[in-house]
Structure formats: structure tokens, C-alpha cells
């Protein structure tokens, strides 16, 4: 992809950036090469290399090589791990400059590899934003009424929990909790042209949230072993018990989006779990609906744990783009993104997660001081990707542009070495395809 970075008043680009990503099961490294445009620099042939380190590749390789580890005396001794390790070090040394996504990674590169890297924290793209009630209503209507909509079962579930009374109360000999619906709202809902479990058109023709709507909690995952959703399931059980005894707590809908190898196992555990006031739903959304769901939710949950301890969960960045307070599983560098008690909470156990959700949802939806304060903090500190790019990365390209105007043997050596690495990598990839096809024929 070619991106234009900056322009003068006539619209002519200062420089163009060619973005290339190495092949991997997950996008872990990006390398940017900046070629100055003719108006910016007369030396069209000069090229600068900026290595952007999103994740430490050899750490991921260690994580994925359990099966072969014992043959080589441990994962760190595996030849593929060693190859990835030295490849990453060499590319970092050859680059004109380096950027990375956390201060923890910058410190690691400095201490372990003697590589200086500038920090550019990930930021959400502009389509991750909070939605107004009109956009939420459109989304909820589709997800509740479409054939494969993930919220289809919410309306009957809420009806079963609702006691149409003036006041919320305990009923019957079983002391089961019920949720009341104000008689005035009930009449408005009955006469409204369009109604969902979360909002409706009132008699003044204005879309409003229902007073007894469930709280919507969203999480996303690829259903792999590095995210333990048993933590969330156990927290849901504890939260269910809390809601049953606490009249200020709402019912809670938890939507988990994504597909992956451990989804069926989780669904089986969910079928064997009895919950009354908490409903857990799994979903596979259209790509355009995921940011809309985040923009319509009340709380986000992240169970991501970094394999290297040096990167941050992108899902939390997207949630913050939607002004969504977050409960995130704690690990080494998470504090660079989630500030405990300010824009969310961190937790390390099911009990702690249930307690944090209770603190955030107490009094929902009318009296949610904690949620409101966290949302206000997120909105105040929110930064978009383009702003961070212009602040951190664009000046680097400008420095490379200036350096390109002077000849340097060290620079020439670096570029030739990197070209050799690229040729060897392409040859290895071609051999791998040939060898794989040969095995397939056998």
C-alpha cells in the first residue's frame, strides 16, 4: 500500500511511504520504506528503512512450538526460534530508525539488543466511535430480528425476568427477584412503532434508552489458549448471584465475538451452566458491525495476555476509541494503556472481575457515576491514529529524507545487506512452497 505523508498547499506530497508486512499467522511486524517525492528531495534513488516492531517474533515462535520443543532441549533452542531471533536483531540493526508500540518493548530492545526505538502507541481508527441512539437502534433491530442475529434471544429472556409493577420488589415464596417496568414507559413501549430490548421511540418521536434495559458487555477473541474465557464464565456465575441479591444491579448481556478452535469447548461449558440474570451470547459479526457493537456497549472486557509481555491488546484500543470503559486482564505492560480506576479496571481472577463489573454497573442505567467518569476520561485523552502518526512517525521520515541527500558507506552497506536478506527469504519461501507441494503429491 502507498500512503501519502503530508502535503504542501498545492497538494503535492512531501513523501510516499511503501508499507510491507511479513507473512505470519498474526500481523507482527511492519517495515516502512520512505522514498522522497521529486519535489521534496532530488535524490530519487535513495531509500530509507524504518523498522516498526509490533511484536517480538521469536517470542511468538516459542509460544507456538510446544510439540517440537523437547527435540531441541526447550523452545528457546529450537532452530526456528533462533533463526527468528537473529533475523529480528539484524533487521533492527540495519534500519535507519525503529519504532515500537510500548515503552516496555523500547526498554527491552535497548537493554537486550542495543537497539533504540521510539514509542508510538496504537490508536483507534476513526470508525471506532460511540454511537447515538439512532445508530444503536438500527444495529439492535437487526441483531434482534435477523435470522442469525446474535441478540435474538434477549427480548424473551428479558420478558421472563420482568414483573410489570410500579416498583421493583421481591415476589413469591421463592424470593426470586423481578425487574419492574414503569407503567408510563410500558404504555409508551406498547404504542411505539419500533422497539428493541434496549431502546424505543417515545410518544414525542425521540429515540430513548429503556429504563429497564440490560447492561451490554462486549468482548472479542480468536478463541486460542492465550485467552482463558473460563475466567469470564466463572465471573458471570458470581455476578449472577450478586444481581439476585442487589436491587440496584441490572440484568447483564455479555456478547463474545469471534471464531476459533476453542469456541465449541466454551459453548459446551456454557450449555452446562445455569444463569438467570446474566446472558452470555457468542457471535460472528459482519466486519462493519463490530465497531458499531463496541460503540453501543456499556463495558468492554479483555482477557488478552501478551505472549511476550511487551505488546498491548488492540481490542482495548478499539474499545477506547468508542469511549468504552474496560475491564482488562492484568499483565506486565498493561498500565501503559489501562489506568486502574481511571479509564477502566484491571483484574487477575474471576472474583475480581465480578466485583469490578458490580462497581461499574451499580445503579445502571440512570445512576452510573463510575461509568460516566471513566467515559469522560477516555474522551478527554482519546487520540486518533493520524495524530500519533504526524507526531511520532512523520518527523522520522523527514529526518530520513534529509539523510538521503548525503552519501554514506554505512548506509549503503545496510541497504545491500537488507537486500541480500530479502532475496534469501524469497528463495526460502519458494523452496517451502515447492517442498510442500511435493509432500502433498506423496
Amino acid at each position: 500500500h502507498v500512503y501519502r505523508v503530508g502535503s504542501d498547499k498545492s497538494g503535492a506530497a512531501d513523501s510516499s511511504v511503501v508499507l510491507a508486512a511479513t507473512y505470519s499467522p498474526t500481523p507482527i511486524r511492519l517495515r516502512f520504506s520512505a522514498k522522497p517525492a521529486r519535489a521534496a528531495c532530488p535524490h530519487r534513488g535513495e531509500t530509507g528503512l524504518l523498522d516498526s516492531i509490533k511484536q517480538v517474533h521469536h517470542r511468538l515462535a516459542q509460544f507456538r512450538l510446544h510439540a517440537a520443543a523437547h527435540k531441541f532441549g526447550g523452545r528457546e533452542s529450537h532452530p526456528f526460534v533462533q533463526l527468528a531471533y537473529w533475523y529480528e536483531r539484524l533487521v533492527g540493526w540495519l534500519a535507519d530508525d525503529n519504532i515500537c508500540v510500548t515503552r516496555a518493548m523500547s526498554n527491552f530492545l535497548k537493554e537486550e539488543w542495543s537497539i533504540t526505538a521510539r514509542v508510538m502507541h496504537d490508536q483507534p481508527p476513526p470508525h471506532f466511535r460511540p454511537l447515538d441512539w439512532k445508530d444503536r437502534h438500527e444495529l439492535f433491530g437487526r441483531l434482534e430480528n435477523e435470522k442469525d442475529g446474535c441478540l435474538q434471544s434477549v427480548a424473551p429472556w428479558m420478558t421472563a425476568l420482568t414483573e410489570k409493577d410500579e416498583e421493583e420488589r421481591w415476589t413469591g415464596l421463592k424470593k426470586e427477584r423481578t425487574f419492574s417496568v414503569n407503567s408510563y414507559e410500558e404504555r409508551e413501549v406498547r404504542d411505539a412503532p419500533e422497539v428493541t430490548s434496549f431502546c424505543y421511540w417515545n410518544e414525542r418521536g425521540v429515540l430513548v434508552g429503556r429504563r429497564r434495559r440490560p447492561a451490554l458487555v462486549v468482548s472479542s477473541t480468536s478463541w486460542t489458549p492465550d485467552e482463558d474465557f473460563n475466567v469470564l464464565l466463572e465471573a458471570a456465575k458470581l455476578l449472577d448471584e450478586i444481581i439476585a441479591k442487589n436491587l440496584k444491579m441490572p440484568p447483564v448481556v455479555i456478547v463474545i465475538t469471534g471464531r476459533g478452535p476453542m469456541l465449541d469447548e466454551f459453548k459446551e461449558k456454557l450449555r452446562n451452566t445455569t444463569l438467570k440474570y446474566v446472558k452470555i451470547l457468542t457471535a460472528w459479526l459482519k466486519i462493519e458491525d463490530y465497531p458499531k457493537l463496541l460503540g453501543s456497549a456499556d463495558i468492554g472486557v479483555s482477557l488478552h495476555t501478551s505472549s511476550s509481555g511487551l505488546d498491548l491488546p488492540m481490542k482495548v484500543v478499539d474499545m477506547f476509541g468508542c469511549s468504552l470503559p474496560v475491564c482488562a486482564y492484568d499483565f506486565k505492560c498493561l498500565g501503559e494503556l489501562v489506568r486502574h480506576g481511571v479509564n477502566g479496571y484491571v483484574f487477575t481472577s474471576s472474583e475480581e472481575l465480578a466485583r469490578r463489573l458490580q462497581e461499574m454497573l451499580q445503579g445502571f442505567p440512570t445512576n452510573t457515576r463510575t461509568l460516566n467518569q471513566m467515559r469522560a476520561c477516555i474522551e478527554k485523552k482519546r487520540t486518533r491514529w493520524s495524530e500519533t502518526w504526524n507526531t511520532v512517525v512523520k518527523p522520522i521520515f523527514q529526518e530520513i529524507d534529509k539523510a538521503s541527500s548525503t552519501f554514506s558507506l554505512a548506509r549503503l552497506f545496510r541497504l545491500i545487506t537488507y537486500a541480500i536478506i530479502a532475496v534469501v527469504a524469497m528463495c526460502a519461501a519458494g523452496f517451502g512452497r515447492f517442498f510442500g507441494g511435493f509432500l502433498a503429491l506423496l
Side-chain angles (χ1 to χ4, degrees), residues 229-259:
F229 270 80
N230 291 323
V231 173
L232 181 58
L233 186 59
E234 292 301 318
K237 295 177 184 178
L238 297 172
L239 187 63
D240 195 66
E241 297 174 3
I242 292 170
I243 297 172
K245 301 174 182 178
N246 189 335
L247 296 179
K248 293 184 179 180
M249 288 291 292
V252 177
V253 175
I254 301 175
V255 179
I256 308 172
T257 69
R259 285 179 179 170

Side-chain angles (χ1 to χ4, degrees), residues 8-282:
D8 56 24
K9 293 181 179 179
S10 65
D14 292 336
S15 61
S16 63
V17 182
V18 181
L19 170 62
T22 55
Y23 175 79
S24 171
T26 55
I28 55 176
R29 295 178 65 87
L30 300 176
R31 272 181 302 286
F32 300 85
S33 63
K35 183 177 290 185
R38 190 179 301 276
C41 179
H43 302 274
R44 288 280 292 178
E46 295 290 344
T47 301
L49 176 67
L50 173 63
D51 191 28
S52 173
I53 305 171
K54 172 72 175 176
Q55 176 60 285
V56 184
H57 198 171
H58 78 278
R59 293 285 185 91
L60 284 177
Q62 291 177 32
F63 183 74
R64 294 172 184 272
L65 288 172
H66 288 284
H70 66 281
K71 297 181 181 179
F72 299 93
R75 283 175 288 171
E76 292 189 2
S77 301
H78 194 285
F80 286 122
V81 174
Q82 292 296 315
L83 179 62
Y85 173 82
W86 285 106
Y87 165 76
E88 289 189 301
R89 291 193 70 167
L90 183 58
V91 169
W93 286 333
L94 291 175
D96 291 281
D97 213 322
N98 295 274
I99 59 174
C100 61
V101 293
T102 63
R103 290 188 295 273
M105 184 176 289
S106 178
N107 293 336
F108 168 84
L109 293 171
K110 183 70 174 177
E111 295 169 4
E112 301 293 330
W113 292 357
S114 301
I115 292 174
T116 300
R118 311 188 204 196
V119 178
M120 188 186 82
H121 288 108
D122 280 319
Q123 303 296 341
H127 59 279
F128 283 90
R129 58 180 179 82
L131 299 188
D132 57 26
W133 277 114
K134 183 178 180 181
D135 292 331
R136 293 187 193 188
H137 183 73
E138 185 275 332
L139 176 70
F140 291 145
R142 285 193 293 105
L143 296 182
E144 286 192 29
N145 298 317
E146 286 182 351
K147 182 179 179 181
D148 298 324
C150 63
L151 300 179
Q152 272 185 324
S153 59
V154 173
W157 171 69
M158 282 297 294
T159 301
L161 290 178
T162 302
E163 178 75 16
K164 297 176 182 178
D165 253 301
E166 290 291 336
E167 297 179 358
E168 196 168 39
R169 61 191 177 90
W170 299 82
T171 61
L173 297 176
K174 295 181 180 179
K175 299 293 183 183
E176 292 182 350
R177 184 183 174 190
T178 59
F179 298 90
S180 70
V181 175
N182 181 276
S183 58
Y184 177 75
E185 180 182 283
E186 179 64 16
R187 177 172 56 80
E188 281 196 330
V189 169
R190 186 175 59 248
D191 298 336
E194 296 179 17
V195 178
T196 70
S197 299
F198 300 88
C199 54
Y200 68 98
W201 290 95
N202 65 15
E203 60 183 10
R204 296 184 300 278
V206 179
L207 262 173
V208 294
R210 298 181 69 160
R211 297 179 183 87
R212 276 296 173 228
R213 65 182 182 272
L216 180 58
V217 178
V218 176
S219 186
S220 62
T221 179
S222 53
W223 294 106
T224 52
D226 57 338
E227 290 185 292
D228 185 5
F229 270 80
N230 291 323
V231 173
L232 181 58
L233 186 59
E234 292 301 318
K237 295 177 184 178
L238 297 172
L239 187 63
D240 195 66
E241 297 174 3
I242 292 170
I243 297 172
K245 301 174 182 178
N246 189 335
L247 296 179
K248 293 184 179 180
M249 288 291 292
V252 177
V253 175
I254 301 175
V255 179
I256 308 172
T257 69
R259 285 179 179 170
M262 300 186 70
L263 175 58
D264 291 336
E265 179 184 338
F266 180 82
K267 285 184 175 180
E268 183 61 30
K269 292 179 180 179
L270 188 58
R271 280 191 288 269
N272 297 325
T273 302
T274 301
L275 298 170
K276 183 171 183 179
Y277 304 106
V278 177
K279 191 167 190 64
I280 301 178
L281 304 168
T282 58

Side-chain angles (χ1 to χ4, degrees), residues 329-381:
Y329 199 95
D330 196 15
F331 60 91
K332 183 179 177 181
C333 65
L334 185 64
E336 294 186 35
L337 181 62
V338 181
R339 291 180 292 161
H340 185 70
V342 179
N343 56 9
Y345 286 122
V346 298
F347 63 90
T348 56
S349 65
S350 300
E351 294 79 11
E352 192 174 4
L353 174 56
R355 188 168 66 252
R356 297 308 181 189
L357 289 173
Q358 178 187 3
E359 292 176 19
M360 298 169 85
L361 293 174
Q362 188 90 350
F364 183 90
T366 56
N367 185 20
T368 53
R369 182 180 177 184
T370 300
L371 275 181
N372 294 340
Q373 289 177 341
M374 289 182 174
R375 281 185 183 275
C377 177
I378 294 169
E379 291 173 357
K380 183 179 179 180
K381 299 291 185 180

